[in-house]
């Protein structure tokens, strides 16, 4: 007789065996799945708070689950009808019990409410006065991301807005946060940025919170600052031209989240948080990243056909590496896409995966693209394509099966790689301001300034 | 419909098939309308299930089999069909069929409007289905259809085609059918109760019908408003309501939509709760524990249900978070009360476990997980992490989708003998239960874990992260196991219609009035009614005498009757004259 059989004989032994077996099965299953029953570790301060709150709720949830589940299983197995004419007790209520099982859950949820409330305050607190702050504009587009690296807090448009509703010109020390045709909701007021030149931003203000109707078709949102990283075709696997968002660790980072078209959501799983990109609004998400690394991320609000491919990665660098990268980017004139990532080792780039802009420029003229789109891609008969934010694969589609009057270019005339070259070059040419439909007042300003 | 007509013993014996079909097409009998709802909704449910299998086949591994457009269309139609064409009408089916019987009424208050709402529902459903043939395919922005991606505006890269309009119009029609139905339910309950059937003696299923009717009536017009605005936005206004480029507000849609759709999740789950309450009462031979607190909890859930809509919008940055967080947490309390009352009903009960009872116990287990995961979402910071991931997919399936489905399946097994005069096969029923129970847990528990790991919902392909392929494969296997369970059910339905064991008028020793008439009941429902002194008139009839000395047995019912004892019921013929 084995030890197991002996154990099986006693009641307690049987119970231990059964529980042991069930527990083992559980662990085997979760091991098999490398399963999460908790949120993954966070790489931000705020995320750690959220994870702690999660664990509290998880603990409460697990306890409640096992108690109630045990009660269900108990009543199912314990109370069975033994004979056909058996009549059970007709107790129909019990005030004490009912008060208990109303009161205890009530207390639990009140406690959880306050715990969640304080964590919420914490994660939304933003920067303290003595915090160093990095500001990044994030703009979702079908199906691309634009990242725009700004300056320390204090120069953002929000704080420079005058209270005079008639005022339409706003002077900013550094207007790099401002994207033409972005609509802002500040307090209860809406305004739309019409354009900017130098440090002057022209806005349209709305009375009663509505923005005058204006279609921005044809004048795509421009990436205004040469620190904007490549906007590329989102892919499921992080690859050569996944949009990369570079940020420092240690500082408070303020993401200004906006959308150029439909809803998107900024979601980096390791931050344990997300915020929707709602067209017509600019919203703020604060994080302080604690761990350097590359974090794969993805749009989390359904945004149309290629929602699943709208990925990006966040690259968190140590402060000095970030400073180098930023200097490099801010100081340089438009440069080839290639060297644009600051050459940090975290991002593995495949050799030659990004187009060659020099070759691209030659091809642009050789193929005669300039005839319709202008020598700088600024748009003539055809639309403006300089610094296009249309993802590469859609540009390729346009070559093969053009939507509008453009001539089709089959692969034997121009290969996918060559299109990528042209695409790369187009990213380097600054989009000339004349391509914007701008009010005459602004045109004057530009004239005067230029 | 010919099959079911054949199974029904009609008073017109010997009538030819055409006559029978015509009779069903023109019927205003609440029982026939209920059965038609059941068949149509069941068929749509199978279609919705087929869509889920397509999705799961696509997601079993990384890489794609169908295009992104197709996937988006399929998940949208899966959600829309399941909600608008399966869960809501299945609820309507049972409310139509059973509620008038439970209160001893001859029919609904407005039988013709009742028929009208069925036909509007069918038309709306057909319109949604036909959108597969529309240019550009069906709607493809999820069952929530958040603009501006649904709009035909300049900034939207791939504006949807006519399918989106068909979706909007279809759902408007379905909403209209719901509104008609709800008014009918409410008036019937308020005005058509048999003598002695006071409010505190209503069976719990009837109570859920009442609260559901109120929720439908108060919330559906708001959805209709949103849908009309959406339609205008797409056809002429160029987004003036919902597209900011034209001065609109995308969040306005979300507020309007959820002002309906949060109550809608209760519209779907409450009737299921009512069914399991009745089932527990019958198969334990006990009064449902805390009858009054059950009713109060229902009402509390209904009221709170109207002030939590923005918990679907925590990550939009556009709502006042603490308020909606608090209200959402509070809903856990009345929900918990119901859970404990159900368990207490089985406690010291004389319990038997036919399939209807198994599904009710299954309902408790699934709903428990759904409720607990709901608390995770209520905590706003945690929701920031989990929103729009597979965690939320797991959560809402555990509650409104699969728990509600279990409740309705319990209803099928429970009322099938009443509807068709035959039992469903118990062996097949148990096989069905176990396949489905194991399958859905495999699907939805794994989805919870996948969501914790950060997999977003509504994607047709996913990154090759560690563990994701394995989890997705398990989900797919679970989906097929569940589908196998449903095939067993389908077979059981047809098998039992044809060869099922005959059931008498009261095969389960029921407690409520629907069991006081023949199976199936005559067109006028009752020839005579027993005395109604409590919420369990048939139980009183059967055991009242034996329990005379039991101090816990309340002659006037567990709602403590409204003072006076039972009123002698006049015969049905007298009521027909009156
Ligand atoms: C075993 C059966 C089922 C399986 C395997 C299943 C599977 C799925 C999956 C994988 C999704 C996510 C789609 C995505 O985000 O890409 C989904 C969404 C959904 N399911 Fe189910 N489902 C099942 C049953 C049900 C039932 C019974 C209902 C309701 C009655 C339901 C209602 C929904 C809804 C409303 C959505 C959301 C659709 C959207 O995102 O717009 N499902 N289902
Ligand atoms: Cu998206
Ligand atoms: Cu809700």
């Amino acid at each position: 007789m084995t030890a197991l059989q002996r154990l099986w004989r006693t009641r307690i032994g049987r119970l231990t065996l059964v529980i042991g077996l069930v527990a083992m099965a559980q662990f085997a299953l979760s091991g098999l799945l490398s399963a999460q029953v908790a949120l993954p570790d966070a790489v931000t301060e705020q995320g750690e708070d959220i994870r702690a709150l999660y664990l509290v709720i998880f603990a409460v949830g697990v306890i409640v689950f096992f108690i109630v589940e045990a009660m269900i299983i108990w009543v199912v197995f314990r109370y069975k009808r033994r004979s056909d004419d058996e009549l059970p007790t007709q107790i129909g209520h019990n005030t004490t019990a009912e008060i208990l099982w109303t009161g205890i859950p009530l207390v639990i949820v009140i406690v959880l409410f306050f715990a969640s409330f304080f964590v919420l305050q914490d994660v939304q607190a933003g920067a303290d006065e003595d915090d160093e702050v990095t500001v990044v504009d994030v703009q979702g587009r079908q199906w691309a991301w634009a990242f725009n690296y700004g300056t320390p807090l204090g120069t953002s448009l929000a704080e420079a807005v005058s209270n005079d509703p008639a005022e339409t010109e706003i002077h900013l020390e550094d207007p790099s946060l401002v994207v033409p045709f972005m609509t802002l909701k500040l307090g209860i007021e809406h305004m739309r940025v019409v354009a900017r030149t130098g440090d002057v931003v022209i806005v349209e203000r709305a009375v009663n919170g509505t923005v005058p109707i204006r279609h921005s078709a044809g004048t795509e949102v421009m990436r205004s600052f040469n620190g904007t990283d490549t906007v590329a075709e989102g892919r499921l696997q992080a690859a050569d031209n996944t949009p990369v968002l570079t940020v420092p660790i240690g500082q408070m980072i303020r993401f200004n989240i906006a959308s150029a078209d439909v809803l998107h959501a900024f979601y980096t799983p390791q931050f344990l948080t997300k915020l929707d990109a709602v067209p017509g609004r600019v919203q703020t998400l604060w994080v302080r990243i604690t761990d350097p690394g590359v974090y794969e991320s993805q749009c989390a609000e359904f945004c149309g056909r290629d929602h699943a491919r709208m990925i990006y990665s966040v690259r968190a660098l140590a402060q000095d590496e970030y400073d180098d990268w930023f200097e490099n980017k801010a100081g340089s004139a438009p440069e080839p896409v290639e060297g644009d990532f600051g050459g940090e080792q975290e991002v593995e780039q495949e050799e030659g995966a990004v187009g060659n802009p020099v070759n691209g420029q030659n091809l642009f003229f050789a193929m005669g693209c300039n005839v319709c789109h202008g020598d700088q891609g600024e748009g003539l008969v055809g639309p403006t394509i300089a610094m296009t934010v249309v993802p590469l694969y859609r540009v390729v589609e346009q070559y093969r099966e053009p939507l509008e009057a453009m001539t089709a270019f089959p692969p034997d005339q121009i290969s996918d790689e060559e299109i990528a070259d042209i695409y790369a070059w187009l990213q380097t040419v600054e989009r000339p301001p004349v391509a914007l439909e701008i009010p005459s007042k602004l045109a004057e300003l530009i004239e005067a300034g230029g | 419909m010919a099959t079911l007509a054949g199974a029904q013993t009609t008073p017109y014996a010997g009538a030819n098939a055409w006559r029978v079909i015509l009779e069903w097409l023109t019927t205003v009998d609440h029982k026939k309308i209920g059965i038609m709802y059941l068949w149509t909704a069941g068929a749509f449910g199978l279609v919705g299930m087929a869509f889920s299998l397509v999705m799961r086949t696509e997601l079993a591994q990384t890489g794609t089999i169908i295009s992104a457009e197709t996937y988006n269309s399929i998940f949208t139609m899966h959600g829309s069909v399941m909600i608008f064409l399966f869960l809501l009408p299945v609820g309507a089916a049972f409310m139509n069929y059973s509620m008038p019987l439970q209160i001893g009424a001859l029919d609904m208050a407005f039988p013709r409007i009742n028929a009208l709402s069925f036909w509007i529902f069918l038309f709306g459903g057909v319109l949604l289905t036909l959108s597969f043939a529309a240019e550009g395919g069906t709607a493809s922005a999820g069952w929530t259809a958040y603009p501006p991606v649904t709009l035909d505006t300049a900034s939207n890269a791939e504006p949807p085609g006519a399918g989106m309009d068909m979706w909007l119009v279809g759902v408007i029609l379905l909403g209209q059918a719901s509104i008609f139905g709800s008014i009918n339910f409410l008036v019937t309950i308020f005005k058509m109760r048999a003598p002695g059937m006071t409010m505190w003696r209503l069976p719990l299923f009837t109570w859920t019908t009442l609260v559901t009717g109120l929720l439908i009536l108060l919330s559906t017009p708001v959805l209709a408003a949103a849908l009309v605005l959406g339609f205008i936005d797409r056809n002429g206004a160029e987004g003036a309501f919902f597209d900011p480029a034209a001065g609109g507000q995308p969040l306005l849609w979300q507020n309007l939509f959820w002002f309906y759709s949060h109550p809608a999740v209760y519209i779907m789950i409450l009737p299921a709760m009512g069914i399991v309450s009745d089932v527990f009462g019958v198969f334990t031979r006990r009064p449902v524990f805390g009858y009054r607190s059950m009713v109060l909890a229902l009402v509390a859930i209904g009221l709170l249900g109207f002030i939590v809509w923005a918990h679907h919008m925590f990550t939009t940055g556009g709502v006042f978070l603490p308020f909606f967080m608090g209200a959402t947490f509070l809903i856990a309390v009345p929900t918990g009360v119901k859970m404990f009352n159900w368990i207490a009903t089985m406690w010291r009960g004389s319990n038997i476990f036919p399939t209807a009872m198994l599904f009710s116990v299954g309902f408790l287990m699934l709903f428990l997980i759904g409720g607990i995961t709901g608390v995770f979402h209520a905590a706003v910071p945690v929701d920031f992490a989990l929103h729009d991931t597979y965690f939320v997919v797991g959560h809402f399936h555990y509650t409104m989708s699969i728990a509600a489905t279990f409740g309705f399946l319990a209803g099928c097994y429970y009322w099938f003998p009443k509807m068709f005069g035959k039992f469903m096969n118990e062996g097949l029923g148990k096989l069905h239960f176990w396949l489905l129970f194991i399958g859905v847990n495999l699907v939805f528990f794994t989805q919870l874990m996948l969501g914790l790991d950060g997999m977003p919902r509504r994607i047709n392909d996913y990154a090759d992260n560690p563990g994701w392929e394995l989890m997705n494969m398990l989900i797919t296997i679970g989906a097929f196991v569940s589908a196998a369970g449903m095939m067993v059910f389908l077979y059981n339905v047809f098998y039992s219609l044809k060869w099922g064991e005959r059931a008498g008028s009261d095969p389960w020793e029921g407690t409520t009035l629907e069991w006081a008439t023949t199976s199936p009941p005559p067109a006028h429902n009752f020839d005579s009614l027993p005395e109604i002194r409590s919420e369990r008139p048939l139980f009183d009839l059967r055991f009242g005498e034996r329990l005379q000395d039991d101090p816990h047995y309340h002659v006037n019912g567990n709602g403590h009757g409204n003072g006076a004892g039972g009123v002698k019921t006049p015969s049905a013929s007298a009521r027909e004259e009156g």
Side-chain angles (χ1 to χ4, degrees):
Chain A
M1 195 162 61
T2 67
L4 276 183
Q5 276 171 318
R6 236 174 296 132
L7 203 54
W8 189 251
R9 288 257 170 113
T10 66
R11 222 177 144 158
I12 299 286
R14 268 201 300 274
L15 204 66
T16 328
L17 276 183
V18 169
I19 292 177
L21 270 180
V22 172
M24 266 157 55
Q26 278 269 307
F27 278 116
L29 190 66
S30 26
L32 193 72
L33 297 175
S34 64
Q36 306 274 7
V37 288
L39 284 168
D41 285 326
V43 299
T44 61
E45 249 171 30
Q46 290 76 6
E48 274 309 314
D49 289 351
I50 292 175
R51 187 162 187 275
L53 176 65
Y54 171 88
L55 289 175
V56 170
I57 296 179
F58 181 71
V60 174
V62 167
I63 293 170
V64 171
F65 174 76
F66 278 109
I67 292 177
V68 179
E69 192 76 11
M71 284 162 67
I72 298 174
I73 293 174
W74 167 257
V75 294
V76 166
F77 283 95
R78 171 67 184 74
Y79 299 105
K80 294 213 166 127
R81 189 173 301 174
R82 301 229 172 64
S83 71
D84 230 18
D85 58 352
E86 180 185 69
L87 262 183
T89 169
Q90 294 299 309
I91 297 177
H93 64 106
N94 179 315
T95 313
T96 323
E98 286 172 60
I99 288 176
L100 275 182
W101 65 52
T102 315
I104 295 175
L106 186 64
V107 171
I108 294 178
V109 296
I110 288 175
V111 170
L112 290 182
F113 171 81
F114 281 105
S116 310
F117 182 78
F118 291 123
V119 172
L120 181 62
Q121 298 268 296
D122 242 32
V123 302
Q124 295 198 316
D128 288 337
E129 263 169 35
D130 48 352
D131 269 330
E132 273 196 77
V133 174
T134 300
V135 182
V136 185
D137 293 339
V138 173
Q139 196 190 46
R141 279 193 69 90
Q142 280 173 321
W143 294 281
W145 293 93
F147 303 121
N148 182 23
Y149 300 93
T151 47
L153 188 67
T155 54
S156 75
L157 186 63
E159 271 129 83
V161 174
S162 108
N163 287 322
D164 177 4
E167 184 110 85
T168 54
E169 286 176 27
I170 297 171
H171 292 263
L172 297 177
E173 273 172 39
D174 185 333
S176 57
L177 278 175
V178 177
V179 181
F181 297 99
M182 122 201 266
T183 314
L184 300 172
K185 183 167 183 287
L186 303 167
I188 54 161
E189 196 182 24
H190 282 80
M191 60 177 80
R192 178 190 293 276
V193 176
V194 178
R196 79 175 164 87
T197 170
D199 61 352
V200 181
V201 172
I202 310 288
V203 294
E204 275 174 355
R205 291 188 166 215
V207 195
N208 297 336
T210 42
V211 181
I213 294 184
R214 168 199 291 276
H215 286 284
S216 52
T219 47
E220 303 202 273
V221 177
M222 262 175 63
R223 288 155 300 136
S224 57
F225 183 52
N226 57 9
T228 301
D229 252 332
T230 323
V231 179
E233 171 188 3
R235 297 239 192 89
L236 282 185
Q237 304 299 329
D240 35 316
N241 53 351
T242 302
V244 177
L245 168 56
T246 306
V247 280
I249 63 169
Q251 289 195 7
M252 277 303 264
I253 301 168
R254 172 184 167 150
F255 293 110
N256 290 325
I257 295 173
S259 163
D261 36 48
V262 301
L263 296 165
H264 303 277
F266 180 80
Y267 176 41
T268 301
Q270 281 92 340
F271 292 180
L272 301 192
T273 192
K274 63 177 71 66
L275 187 60
D276 291 359
V278 182
R281 301 169 71 104
V282 179
Q283 324 212 69
T284 307
L285 180 70
W286 290 98
V287 299
R288 191 198 303 277
I289 302 176
T290 48
D291 300 10
V294 176
Y295 307 114
E296 303 308 341
S297 314
Q298 173 162 15
C299 173
E301 180 64 66
F302 184 75
C303 55
R305 187 187 66 199
D306 286 334
H307 164 62
R309 265 150 294 277
M310 200 172 144
I311 63 169
Y312 63 100
S313 39
V314 173
R315 181 174 57 152
L317 301 178
Q319 185 69 54
D320 48 344
E321 288 175 61
Y322 175 78
D323 288 342
D324 286 351
W325 172 87
F326 192 83
E327 288 297 287
N328 208 350
K329 185 167 269 307
S332 60
E335 56 184 25
V337 182
E338 232 170 352
D340 222 27
F341 294 96
E344 300 302 334
Q345 57 283 13
E346 281 92 342
V347 179
E348 290 141 19
Q349 273 183 260
E350 273 170 45
E351 200 62 57
V354 175
N356 173 346
V358 179
N359 190 29
Q361 183 171 18
N362 292 335
L363 279 166
F364 188 79
F365 290 94
M367 305 293 299
C369 310
N370 60 322
V371 178
C372 291
H373 292 285
D375 287 354
Q376 295 292 311
E378 75 275 11
L380 293 172
V381 192
T384 313
I385 52 173
M387 288 180 82
T388 178
V389 289
V390 173
L392 176 57
Y393 74 101
R394 288 181 67 201
V395 173
V396 176
E397 279 171 20
Q398 171 69 10
Y399 274 85
R400 306 299 182 220
E401 287 170 39
L403 287 178
E404 313 253 331
M406 189 172 131
T407 333
F409 293 87
D412 56 348
Q413 277 184 34
I414 182 165
S415 70
D416 284 4
E417 290 72 33
E418 286 169 328
I419 297 174
D421 291 347
I422 296 181
Y423 188 81
W425 177 71
L426 285 173
Q427 297 302 320
T428 68
V429 284
E430 184 116 39
R431 186 175 194 161
V434 284
L436 291 168
E437 286 170 33
I438 40 179
S440 52
K441 180 155 186 248
L442 181 70
E444 282 163 32
L445 258 170
I446 295 169
E447 217 93 287
Chain B
M1 227 141 285
T3 25
L4 63 104
Q8 181 93 2
T9 46
T10 63
Y12 311 106
N16 64 38
W18 287 113
R19 178 89 189 269
V20 174
I21 289 172
L22 195 68
E23 185 196 323
W24 280 84
L25 290 181
T26 55
T27 186
V28 294
D29 178 345
H30 74 98
K31 300 180 292 301
K32 292 205 165 113
I33 292 172
I35 289 174
M36 290 198 291
Y37 263 115
L38 198 57
W39 282 100
T40 348
F44 279 125
L46 290 177
V47 172
M49 187 183 78
F51 290 153
S52 78
L53 296 180
V54 175
M55 288 191 283
R56 287 319 316 175
T57 308
E58 166 64 271
L59 293 175
Q61 291 177 297
T62 54
T64 55
I65 305 167
I66 52 178
S67 68
E69 283 102 326
T70 312
Y71 183 86
N72 296 344
S73 149
I74 296 286
F75 86 70
T76 301
M77 291 312 276
H78 166 72
S80 309
V81 165
M82 283 301 202
I83 291 202
F84 297 119
L85 303 179
F86 169 61
L87 280 183
L88 291 170
V90 155
F94 288 122
M95 295 192 282
N96 255 301
Y97 190 90
S98 303
M99 181 272 288
L101 290 171
Q102 288 199 327
I103 62 171
L106 301 177
D107 202 322
M108 296 278 262
F110 309 112
R112 283 194 197 84
I113 289 187
N114 200 22
L116 180 63
S117 71
F118 172 78
W119 293 107
I120 295 179
F121 149 73
L122 190 62
F123 187 69
V126 169
L127 198 62
L128 276 196
T129 318
L130 282 183
S131 68
F132 275 99
E135 188 167 357
T138 65
S140 59
W143 82 281
T144 52
Y146 284 1
V149 79
T150 53
L151 303 179
D152 187 4
T153 50
S155 54
N156 188 4
E158 304 268 334
M164 192 67 227
D165 292 314
M166 293 169 81
W167 188 91
L168 289 165
V169 175
V171 178
I172 290 176
L173 290 173
L174 298 168
Q176 189 53 56
S178 278
I179 294 175
F180 278 158
S182 68
I183 295 173
N184 226 334
F185 296 140
L186 291 174
V187 177
T188 307
I189 296 175
F190 287 132
K191 289 289 174 205
M192 309 274 289
R193 298 190 312 274
M197 181 58 84
T198 63
M199 292 307 273
W200 283 118
R201 290 173 187 166
L202 292 181
L204 280 167
F205 177 74
T206 298
W207 263 111
T208 57
T209 306
L210 195 163
V211 177
T212 307
L214 279 173
L215 291 183
I216 295 176
L217 189 60
L218 295 176
S219 66
T220 314
V222 178
L223 175 72
L227 294 165
V228 170
L229 296 184
F231 189 80
I232 296 173
D233 243 13
R234 285 179 50 77
N235 297 283
E238 299 189 8
F241 293 112
F242 301 125
D243 185 7
Q249 255 295 350
L251 295 188
L252 172 64
W253 168 276
Q254 296 187 25
N255 278 302
L256 294 174
F257 180 85
W258 287 113
F259 190 83
Y260 164 76
S261 290
H262 188 80
V265 307
Y266 296 113
I267 293 171
M268 292 174 257
I269 195 78
L270 291 185
M273 289 179 163
I275 293 172
V276 302
S277 301
D278 281 10
V279 167
F280 282 136
V282 169
F283 296 108
T284 60
R285 285 192 179 165
R286 292 200 50 204
V288 173
F289 200 86
Y291 173 87
R292 274 192 179 222
S293 65
M294 282 304 235
V295 173
L296 292 179
L298 265 179
V299 174
I301 290 176
L303 288 177
L304 285 171
F306 274 106
I307 55 166
V308 298
W309 77 90
H311 67 205
H312 300 269
M313 303 166 60
F314 283 156
T315 66
T316 58
V319 296
F320 182 60
L321 301 171
F323 174 80
F324 289 103
M325 170 161 82
T328 306
F329 269 129
L330 275 185
I331 286 204
V333 176
T335 315
V337 167
K338 297 191 80 71
M339 178 65 79
F340 290 118
N341 278 332
W342 284 317
I343 296 174
T345 307
M346 281 190 284
W347 175 75
R348 293 179 62 184
S350 171
N351 307 340
I352 52 169
F353 293 91
T355 311
M357 186 71 168
L358 282 185
F359 272 99
S360 300
V361 173
F363 169 93
L364 293 192
M365 292 183 167
L366 297 170
F367 194 71
L368 175 63
I369 300 181
I372 290 174
T373 50
V375 172
F376 288 70
H377 283 295
V380 173
V382 176
D383 184 71
F384 285 167
L386 299 177
H387 178 69
D388 268 341
T389 68
Y390 262 89
F391 194 89
V392 88
V393 180
H395 157 70
F396 73 69
H397 278 96
Y398 263 120
T399 46
M400 140 212 117
S401 309
I402 220 63
T405 304
F406 265 55
F408 290 130
L409 287 170
C412 284
Y413 284 95
Y414 178 57
W415 280 313
F416 191 92
K418 180 54 54 184
M419 292 176 177
F420 305 109
K422 295 181 176 176
F423 282 102
M424 288 191 75
N425 183 293
E426 280 290 314
L428 290 173
K430 292 198 165 124
L431 181 62
H432 171 210
F433 171 79
W434 284 110
L435 282 175
L436 198 63
F437 189 74
I438 292 170
V440 296
N441 275 295
L442 198 54
V443 172
F444 300 118
F445 204 83
T446 319
Q447 284 188 348
L448 292 174
M449 298 198 289
L450 202 49
L452 284 171
D453 216 24
M455 176 156 157
R457 70 192 278 204
R458 296 176 171 173
I459 57 177
N460 70 326
D461 194 8
Y462 50 91
D464 185 16
N465 292 339
W468 282 22
E469 267 202 312
L470 181 55
M471 286 195 257
N472 273 294
M473 182 55 92
L474 283 178
I475 297 174
T476 302
I477 293 171
F480 279 92
V481 173
S482 314
M486 290 314 292
M487 289 301 115
V488 174
F489 174 67
L490 196 64
Y491 174 71
N492 195 351
V493 168
F494 289 106
Y495 173 89
S496 306
L497 279 178
K498 204 156 169 65
W499 292 292
E501 201 186 315
R502 289 229 151 263
S505 57
D506 185 8
W508 306 121
E509 301 193 344
T511 60
T512 42
L513 290 181
E514 73 268 37
W515 307 106
T517 181
T518 53
S519 306
H524 55 284
N525 285 354
F526 298 99
D527 289 327
S528 68
L529 281 170
E531 191 184 10
I532 303 163
R533 291 180 309 176
S534 77
E535 81 281 13
R536 302 186 290 168
L538 266 66
F539 184 88
D540 299 336
L541 206 62
R542 184 172 292 113
F543 297 117
E545 245 160 65
R546 268 179 68 191
L547 288 167
Q548 245 167 10
D549 304 325
D550 186 332
H552 296 299
Y553 175 67
H554 299 291
V555 184
N556 288 332
N558 291 283
H560 300 301
N562 290 354
V567 182
K568 271 266 176 280
T569 316
S571 75
S573 56
R575 291 196 301 119
E576 257 168 314
E577 286 158 19

